[in-house]
Amino acid sequence: MDTETIAMTLIAHAGDARTLAFQALQAAKKHDFAEADRLMEESEKASVLAHHGQTDLLVSEANGDPVDISILLIHSQDHLMTSMLAQELIREMIEMYKNQK
């Protein structure tokens, strides 16, 4: 797969992961924790798909095949990292909602 396609795949899956995580937070606000947990699982699955694309790039580079760095590729990495951060924070927020009385 070419770098541009991998970058677009990263953006799509990372975006899905972020969206699902925020949907999980909305469910937790309504105290629907079963739905929040389900959505976070879906978010994790989308994140794993994004990581596959990133891993392909890393393996290519490690094998001596240089990866063309473009703004699109950098943008895709930004999407992945922000979605991962959102997931981490939202997991903590969901726990806070679960512990509310």
Side-chain angles (χ1 to χ4, degrees):
M1 205 180 315
D2 64 273
T3 304
E4 186 175 286
T5 303
I6 291 172
M8 292 305 294
T9 300
L10 273 164
I11 291 168
H13 291 305
D16 289 345
R18 182 182 177 281
T19 297
L20 288 160
F22 276 98
Q23 288 174 353
L25 179 57
Q26 293 305 312
K29 284 181 179 180
K30 297 175 186 170
H31 297 277
D32 186 351
F33 299 115
E35 180 67 359
D37 291 342
R38 185 191 72 74
L39 287 163
M40 284 306 295
E41 282 182 31
E42 291 298 315
S43 177
E44 287 297 323
K45 289 177 186 175
S47 190
V48 166
L49 292 173
H51 276 285
H52 288 304
Q54 185 181 48
T55 300
D56 289 346
L57 292 172
L58 291 169
V59 168
S60 180
E61 187 82 21
N63 287 334
D65 298 325
V67 175
D68 293 327
I69 305 298
S70 67
I71 295 299
L72 183 61
L73 183 58
I74 293 167
H75 183 66
S76 73
Q77 294 298 307
D78 288 343
H79 270 275
L80 180 58
M81 297 311 298
T82 57
S83 71
M84 291 171 62
L85 178 59
Q87 287 173 319
E88 290 175 38
L89 290 171
I90 289 170
R91 269 189 228 98
E92 292 299 319
M93 294 172 78
I94 290 171
E95 286 304 312
M96 290 169 50
Y97 278 111
K98 285 180 178 180
N99 292 325
Q100 276 185 340
K101 293 188 181 193

